[in-house]
Amino acid sequence: MTFLPNHDKQIQRLEARAQSRLPWWGKKTKSAMFAFFGIAVAVVSLLVLSHLSSEISLHDVKRSLHAIPNDVLLTALFFTIVSFAAVALYDVVAVETIAPGRVPYHISAMAGGAGYAISNALGFSLLTGGALRYRVYAAEGIDIADIGRIIGTSWLAIWFAFTILIAVALVIDPTRIPWVVSFGPMVDQVIGASILVAVAVLLYWLSRRERTLQIGRFSVRLPSSQGALLQVLAGLVDVAAAAATLYVLLPAGAVNSIPAFALVYVVAVALGIVSHAPGGIGAFEATIIAGLGLGQNPGAIAALVAYRAIYTLIPFLVAIAGFVVSEILRKRHILAGPTISAVRMFEPLIPPLSAGIAFLGGIVLLISAVIPDLHHRLEMLADVLPMPFLEMSHLGASFVGVGLLIVARGLARRLWRAWFVALVLFSLGAIFALAKGLAWEEALMLTLMAGTLLLFRDSFYRKPLGERFTLTWGWLASIGTTAFAVLWLGFFAYRHVEYANELWWEFAWDAQASRFLRASVLVLTFLAAITINTVINGVGRGKLRAQPIPERVPDLVAASPRASDALALLGDKRFLMDPKGEGFVMYARSGGSLVSMGEPVGSDGAVSDLAWAFRGLADRTGTRTVFYGVGPERLPLFLDMGLTALKLGEVARVDLSDFSLEGSRRQPLRYAARRLEKEGISFEIISKDQTQDILDELRGVSDAWLEMKSGSEKRFSLGSFENAYLSNFDIAVMRKEGTIVAFANLWRGADNQEIAVDLMRHLPDASSVIMDGLFANLLMAAKAEGYRWFNLGAAPLSGLSDSHLASRWNRIGSFIYRRGAEFYRFDGLRAFKDKFDPKWTPYYLICPPGLATPRSLIDATNLVSGSPFEVFKR
């Protein structure tokens, strides 16, 4: 709601040229490319693994697995405990470096250990340890910048450990370095020694004084030499213990060089991260087998299976047990002391944990569907169950398995419907597991998983508004790599079967390979359908349609002292109504945000409750809470919600009590008014009862104005030329020889508190001072009617501080204001409004802090006009 100056056509050409220079790939395309690259890595790894193990059968692997001694299994479990203790130490040191004394040791230790257990099981492309730590530390009052520094410092430790282990391996035993990383013995030793010297220099550099790492505008306080040394040692213990877990499980004689084994292990972990697969499954195994030359050793495959169970599955199950215990304690209301801290730490991790449970359940069902069932159980089923039920149950288990992989994303977002669907799928999966092969172990596991989800019921309350179903590319990549790994396992299990066309249609109790092939087709078809849906619909959210204007809204608008609340009559918004009918919030959804136009409208008592209700609506629907264009009066209310405020600029309001056209400062306005009189242009206000009679003539003026501007109607924060909308307002017009040459619709606040204009349009050949004259007449008419304020609208980015101590947002906005004349005359707009000697009041965008802030700003921009600069012109 402001006067918009003419856009120079050269600017339009510059913007068009800038658009044409944008690369053809967008952000979503890049995400898709990374996802398909990860899938490609996984597929290639599985093909390599299949080739290297071509002489091994599933029976050989099972026999080798049962042959692993119990004391070896216990030793591997011990090393796993040591590794996760070191992981927990990462976060303890990082927190004490970045935010000393603000997080208890046991909270940061549990955040590191539990977070890594979950992310290690799910894969880095699904839910990273960083995201889990963000939830925990945010609940402890750590701001987003420090959380990022903690996560960065923690991850730096493990990559330092990787680097040091590689360097040690290159120095100690360069002759046995596998071809995957070797450059020749002499070169390898030089590289390794250089790395070790660089680490030593870094530790000495840190010991001199406190250091800060500056990358652009991002800075992080580095740990002291003692802290850095402690983290490096923790990283070495972590990676060495993790590698030792696998080392002790491998058969005797499988490893000829411990340094070479450590190096291959590090490379395998890195490729597993790239592959997007949960835990790097497939890529990790292929690298270990290829790097150590263990392709035809069934004991090596068995060791990798045992490693997955001990290092990946058991820590994940321990995390589940911790969550279940804390949830039981919370529901029994016996919290005290450390228990409160444990629950406070665990609750934010319930969604990703539940996603992990669903993902694990899907993997269990898919693996069960592709490996042979026990013959004696099938014989028992044959006596009580018709064969069609067996076949349908086998296909049903495959379908439910893929369904659980997909629904896991909804659980991570706290969606109620995902929780409900997961319960149904777990129940069906348990039934299908029994019906397809009396797999009571799987049925029991799935039932326990369903019970765990039931226990977490309170954490799933979000119900998105009008959202279409799509998957992110990262999630799709994780599902794809998991499915391909499971299908590879099926072909590995049935590699002794001679495949023929008849095999697809063979139905018999012992035709297990045939059932596997049919299940594979179902799984691949399901994945193809999901991928096509994601490609066609895009990764994002569907539109949320506006709703009819509720009956109480026009009366509440008429009773509001704020003139801009008339935007509620535009017809492009939804409404959150006060239960007593005393107020409302007008809003729309854009991207991942619910954006309120201004603050709630209504009585003082209703405004606070409505603001909190809107905050709750956004939380329940899994969206960000955004209030666009609010004044400073209720900033404490929004800050209490945990939101932050971005200053968008200042609003100009003219005090009409002492306004006149007299004096030297008003000379341009007097000149404009007198010139219009001489040109035969008169001013008139037409009441809304007569607006309908002139709408056709107004539309002609509006269309000519839009064509002159080469623009289109705006939305959300500005009115548009709609007959139903304009019929609600008085219209100020300028006539020449009886023909309307300019007009503006008037917003009137209650009790003559404020008046403003919305649409302001004129014919191209109207007088050059038509707008100055229109405003001069409007202000004098409003004063005569007894109005207190005339709202001239906003001057974007004005009033922002450029001090080096100001916030980053203020400095960027101030720079654009001063240097952005090539795109928009920010200073010219303020100069125009300064002619009226207004009182300048700041206005703000209210949104969540941290990483959600730029996303909220983009969503509000797209909702208002779709242009990054247009958001400020409202």
Side-chain angles (χ1 to χ4, degrees), residues 326-655:
S326 69
E327 191 68 6
I328 292 174
L329 293 176
R330 184 178 71 84
K331 290 183 180 298
R332 291 181 60 187
H333 306 289
I334 56 173
L335 300 181
T339 306
I340 294 178
S341 299
V343 172
R344 188 170 68 244
M345 197 285 292
F346 275 125
E347 202 286 329
L349 301 183
I350 286 177
L353 170 71
S354 301
I357 293 173
F359 213 88
L360 180 61
I363 293 175
V364 167
L365 280 172
L366 287 175
I367 291 177
S368 174
V370 302
I371 61 175
D373 294 307
L374 298 177
H375 286 285
H376 68 278
R377 294 187 181 182
L378 289 175
E379 292 174 357
M380 295 173 61
L381 273 179
D383 297 332
V384 296
L385 191 71
M387 185 182 298
F389 282 89
L390 170 70
E391 298 288 350
M392 293 180 63
S393 297
H394 199 274
L395 290 176
S398 302
F399 179 86
V400 169
V402 179
L404 284 171
L405 299 184
I406 294 171
V407 81
R409 178 173 182 258
L411 292 174
R413 296 177 56 208
R414 296 179 180 266
L415 301 186
W416 178 87
R417 66 186 181 192
W419 174 84
F420 178 79
V421 171
L423 284 180
V424 173
L425 291 177
F426 274 128
S427 302
L428 290 175
I431 294 172
F432 291 148
L434 292 173
K436 76 178 184 62
L438 283 181
W440 61 268
E441 302 94 340
E442 298 163 21
L444 178 60
M445 181 183 297
L446 295 171
T447 302
L448 292 175
M449 290 178 175
T452 303
L453 280 187
L454 278 173
L455 192 64
F456 295 158
R457 167 68 186 89
D458 294 343
S459 295
F460 301 94
Y461 53 85
R462 290 177 173 169
K463 299 179 181 180
L465 301 170
E467 183 171 327
R468 63 174 177 254
F469 172 74
T470 56
L471 290 173
T472 64
W473 288 111
W475 203 282
L476 190 61
S478 293
I479 293 174
T481 52
T482 301
F484 287 132
V486 170
L487 294 180
W488 175 87
L489 178 61
F491 283 105
F492 178 80
Y494 296 105
R495 64 183 3 163
H496 62 283
V497 176
E498 295 184 7
Y499 291 93
N501 292 335
E502 293 79 6
L503 193 63
W504 294 94
W505 314 114
E506 182 179 347
F507 297 93
W509 286 99
D510 59 350
Q512 300 198 57
S514 299
R515 282 191 285 275
F516 156 66
L517 290 177
R518 289 189 288 270
S520 299
V521 171
L522 175 67
V523 169
L524 293 176
T525 302
F526 196 178
L527 286 177
I530 296 300
T531 303
I532 292 171
N533 173 69
T534 301
V535 171
I536 293 176
N537 289 327
V539 180
R541 303 168 187 270
K543 292 183 178 179
L544 187 62
R545 294 182 179 179
Q547 69 183 82
I549 299 173
E551 184 178 345
R552 279 284 295 155
V553 166
D555 293 336
L556 291 168
V557 170
S560 173
R562 282 196 309 268
S564 60
D565 290 342
L567 283 167
L569 307 178
L570 189 55
D572 64 344
K573 300 174 179 67
R574 296 182 67 85
F575 296 89
L576 176 64
M577 299 298 299
D578 175 68
K580 298 179 181 178
E582 296 180 358
F584 64 87
V585 177
M586 48 178 159
Y587 69 94
R589 194 182 73 187
S590 176
S593 303
L594 283 190
V595 185
S596 167
M597 182 57 234
E599 60 190 56
V601 179
S603 64
D604 290 338
V607 167
S608 178
D609 291 340
L610 279 168
W612 280 104
F614 183 70
R615 180 82 167 88
L617 175 65
D619 183 58
R620 291 193 305 274
T621 56
T623 49
R624 292 178 287 273
T625 306
V626 179
F627 292 88
Y628 174 77
V630 305
E633 295 82 6
R634 288 194 168 88
L635 280 184
L637 170 64
F638 300 123
L639 296 179
D640 286 345
M641 295 179 182
L643 304 176
T644 191
L646 297 183
K647 186 177 179 181
L648 297 179
E650 294 179 310
V651 174
R653 301 171 75 220
V654 178
D655 187 348

Side-chain angles (χ1 to χ4, degrees), residues 13 218 586 631 697 761:
R13 290 195 295 270
F218 177 80
M586 48 178 159
E697 190 174 2
R761 298 179 179 181

Side-chain angles (χ1 to χ4, degrees), residues 38 56 77 84 94 153 156 159 192 208 236 536 578 678 724 835:
I56 302 175
L77 183 60
F84 275 85
T153 303
L156 196 60
W159 286 105
R208 305 297 295 171
L236 290 173
I536 293 176
D578 175 68
K678 292 179 180 180
K835 292 188 294 186

Side-chain angles (χ1 to χ4, degrees), residues 46-371:
L46 292 172
L47 291 175
V48 171
L49 189 60
S50 179
H51 173 73
L52 293 176
S53 60
S54 58
E55 302 298 325
I56 302 175
S57 68
L58 183 62
H59 176 72
D60 296 332
V61 175
K62 287 182 177 179
R63 184 174 56 192
S64 298
L65 191 59
H66 290 299
I68 298 176
N70 290 334
D71 59 336
V72 171
L73 296 175
L74 291 175
T75 303
L77 183 60
F78 167 77
F79 282 123
T80 297
I81 295 172
V82 172
S83 175
F84 275 85
V87 168
L89 189 59
Y90 289 162
D91 275 45
V92 173
V93 176
V95 169
E96 286 305 299
T97 300
I98 305 301
R102 297 176 60 186
V103 179
Y105 290 157
H106 66 280
I107 294 291
S108 55
M110 286 190 291
Y116 183 72
I118 295 172
S119 63
N120 186 47
L122 295 180
F124 293 88
S125 60
L126 286 181
L127 299 165
T128 67
L132 301 177
R133 291 176 175 95
Y134 170 78
R135 291 177 179 271
V136 174
Y137 296 136
E140 293 294 325
I142 307 298
D143 61 58
I144 180 64
D146 282 344
I147 293 175
R149 294 181 177 101
I150 291 170
I151 294 171
T153 303
S154 181
W155 277 107
L156 196 60
I158 191 170
W159 286 105
F160 252 114
F162 284 167
T163 303
I164 293 173
L165 280 180
I166 291 174
V168 171
L170 293 175
V171 170
I172 293 179
D173 199 353
T175 60
R176 298 187 185 184
I177 298 301
W179 59 269
V180 290
V181 290
S182 179
F183 298 98
M186 287 294 297
V187 176
D188 291 344
Q189 280 190 317
V190 170
I191 293 174
S194 300
I195 293 174
L196 293 176
V197 170
V199 171
V201 170
L202 175 63
L203 292 175
Y204 174 77
W205 180 67
L206 291 174
S207 68
R208 305 297 295 171
R209 59 183 176 85
E210 184 178 291
R211 303 285 185 175
T212 300
L213 177 64
Q214 186 82 29
I215 303 176
R217 292 183 177 272
F218 177 80
S219 64
V220 57
R221 184 159 63 92
L222 296 176
S224 64
S225 59
Q226 291 181 340
L229 183 60
L230 185 59
Q231 278 207 315
V232 168
L233 291 176
L236 290 173
V237 171
D238 165 34
V239 179
T245 303
L246 175 60
Y247 177 80
V248 298
L249 292 169
L250 288 170
V255 177
N256 296 322
S257 168
I258 292 180
F261 168 76
L263 189 147
V264 171
Y265 180 86
V266 170
V267 173
V269 172
L271 286 178
I273 294 173
V274 173
S275 73
H276 290 286
I281 191 169
F284 176 84
E285 284 78 5
T287 306
I288 293 293
I289 295 298
L292 298 179
L294 301 176
Q296 306 306 323
N297 190 333
I301 304 295
L304 287 168
V305 173
Y307 170 82
R308 285 295 183 183
I310 293 174
Y311 193 79
T312 303
L313 184 59
I314 290 180
F316 180 71
L317 294 178
V318 169
I320 291 178
F323 278 86
V324 170
V325 170
S326 69
E327 191 68 6
I328 292 174
L329 293 176
R330 184 178 71 84
K331 290 183 180 298
R332 291 181 60 187
H333 306 289
I334 56 173
L335 300 181
T339 306
I340 294 178
S341 299
V343 172
R344 188 170 68 244
M345 197 285 292
F346 275 125
E347 202 286 329
L349 301 183
I350 286 177
L353 170 71
S354 301
I357 293 173
F359 213 88
L360 180 61
I363 293 175
V364 167
L365 280 172
L366 287 175
I367 291 177
S368 174
V370 302
I371 61 175

